[in-house]
């Protein structure tokens, strides 16, 4: 099992990097001996899970097969797709489904609205939890887990460069719990806005969220409350279908 854990550690190091990494860099970030890291990379490369060129190592094409299998078999995604299509059609906004993994969230599904986003939001993109729709998930963390999350959080700034103070953030989370949805403006992408609600899963856990997003003109302040109702309805519909 230790060998498997180390292989996953290496893959996670490569997964979080946006460029190829040298052997020594991977070993350092994974906290593994260089010789051990090399053996793991050799196996992963032979199985297509890692690729190598003159600049270093990067995730391999073989990882796409596992991702496709997840997208094709996930009950959550099967339930969410028609709901997102309806949500995008009704609001005219881009509807997306996110799922938390560790201290990040990942885009699982997206349906463009009448006016597609000005920026790309790829399936599988790793996004922060403390900005945008991620707040809908952070708001439902337990006290101990929330303390751990805040302790490891480094950069706590919005896209416009303003810093989010701890007390301000905690107050934002309380408001999210009170009203059942989150909203954000200029947090992750300049000029963009979003409204999101958590999806209640089995045993009451909340690791997924549904979101509508668009430009600030598409989501003016006086539209937030009605969109909050829409995303909560969508989240409830996904819960009924999937769980």
């Amino acid at each position: 099992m230790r060998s498997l854990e180390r292989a996953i550690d290496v893959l996670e190091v490569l997964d979080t990097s946006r460029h190829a990494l040298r052997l020594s860099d991977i070993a350092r970030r994974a906290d593994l001996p260089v010789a051990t890291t090399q053996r793991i990379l050799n196996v992963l490369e032979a199985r297509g899970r890692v690729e190598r060129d003159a600049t270093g190592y990067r995730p391999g094409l073989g990882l796409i097969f596992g991702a496709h299998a997840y997208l094709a078999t996930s009950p959550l995604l099967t339930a969410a797709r028609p709901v997102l299509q309806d949500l995008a059609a009704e609001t005219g906004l881009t509807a997306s489904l996110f799922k938390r993994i560790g201290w990040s969230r990942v885009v699982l599904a997206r349906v463009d609205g009448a006016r597609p986003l000005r920026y790309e939001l790829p399936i599988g993109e790793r996004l922060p939890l403390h900005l945008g729709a991620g707040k809908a998930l952070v708001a439902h963390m337990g006290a101990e887990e929330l303390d751990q999350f805040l302790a490891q959080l480094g950069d706590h700034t919005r896209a416009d460069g303003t810093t989010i103070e701890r007390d301000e953030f905690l107050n934002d989370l309380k408001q999210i719990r009170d009203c059942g949805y989150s909203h954000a403006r200029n947090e992750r992408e300049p000029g963009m806005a979003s409204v999101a609600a958590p999806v209640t899963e089995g045993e009451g856990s909340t690791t997924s969220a549904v979101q509508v997003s668009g430009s600030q003109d598409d989501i003016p302040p006086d539209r937030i409350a009605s969109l909050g109702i829409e995303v909560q309805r969508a989240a409830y519909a996904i819960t009924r279908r999937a769980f």
Side-chain angles (χ1 to χ4, degrees):
M1 293 301 293
R2 181 58 178 158
S3 297
L4 177 59
E5 290 178 349
R6 288 176 169 177
I8 293 174
D9 289 342
V10 168
L11 287 173
E12 288 183 342
V13 166
L14 294 173
D15 178 56
T16 57
S17 177
R18 292 188 174 271
H19 56 82
L21 294 174
R22 297 176 300 176
L23 170 61
S24 58
D25 293 329
I26 298 171
R28 176 175 52 81
R29 297 186 188 188
D31 195 23
L32 294 171
V34 171
T36 300
T37 305
Q38 182 69 80
R39 289 194 296 270
I40 292 171
L41 287 168
N42 288 343
V43 174
L44 293 174
E45 184 180 7
R47 301 298 291 268
R49 269 59 180 179
V50 166
E51 295 178 354
R52 175 178 49 163
D53 59 20
T55 62
Y57 295 88
R58 63 173 56 85
L61 181 64
L63 295 176
I64 292 179
F65 300 131
H68 173 73
Y70 174 81
L71 295 175
T73 62
S74 167
L76 174 63
L77 278 169
T78 300
R81 287 190 183 102
V83 176
L84 295 179
Q85 290 169 354
D86 290 344
L87 183 61
E90 291 169 3
T91 64
L93 302 171
T94 296
S96 306
L97 179 74
F98 299 88
K99 189 170 181 64
R100 176 187 164 192
I101 178 167
W103 301 132
S104 302
R105 58 188 169 104
V106 61
V107 185
L108 293 184
R110 183 195 66 248
V111 177
D112 288 331
R115 299 176 62 184
L117 299 177
R118 299 196 307 266
Y119 63 93
E120 189 175 356
L121 191 64
I123 303 301
E125 179 80 1
R126 182 188 295 267
L127 299 173
L129 273 178
H130 67 289
L131 299 174
K135 295 186 300 182
L137 301 177
V138 177
H140 293 277
M141 289 182 179
E144 183 177 349
E145 187 177 27
L146 178 59
D147 286 341
Q148 294 173 356
F149 173 69
L150 294 175
Q152 61 78 46
L153 187 60
D155 182 21
H156 200 169
T157 57
R158 302 182 180 92
D160 60 8
T162 58
T163 300
I164 306 172
E165 301 296 336
R166 180 186 175 98
D167 288 345
E168 176 191 359
F169 186 63
L170 292 176
N171 184 62
D172 199 4
L173 298 182
K174 181 180 183 304
Q175 292 181 7
I176 292 168
R177 289 191 294 270
D178 289 344
C179 67
Y181 62 89
S182 68
H183 64 88
R185 304 176 73 80
N186 280 321
E187 290 202 1
R188 201 180 64 81
E189 291 287 339
M192 306 305 292
S194 65
V195 181
V199 176
T200 303
E201 302 167 15
E203 300 179 356
S205 63
T206 50
T207 62
S208 304
V210 60
Q211 170 192 271
V212 289
S213 54
S215 70
Q216 293 188 69
D217 291 338
D218 294 329
I219 307 179
D222 60 3
R223 194 186 180 191
I224 291 174
S226 62
L227 289 175
I229 294 173
E230 292 292 340
V231 293
Q232 287 182 88
R233 286 175 176 168
Y236 178 64
I238 294 171
T239 296
R240 284 190 308 165
R241 290 168 178 255
F243 307 103

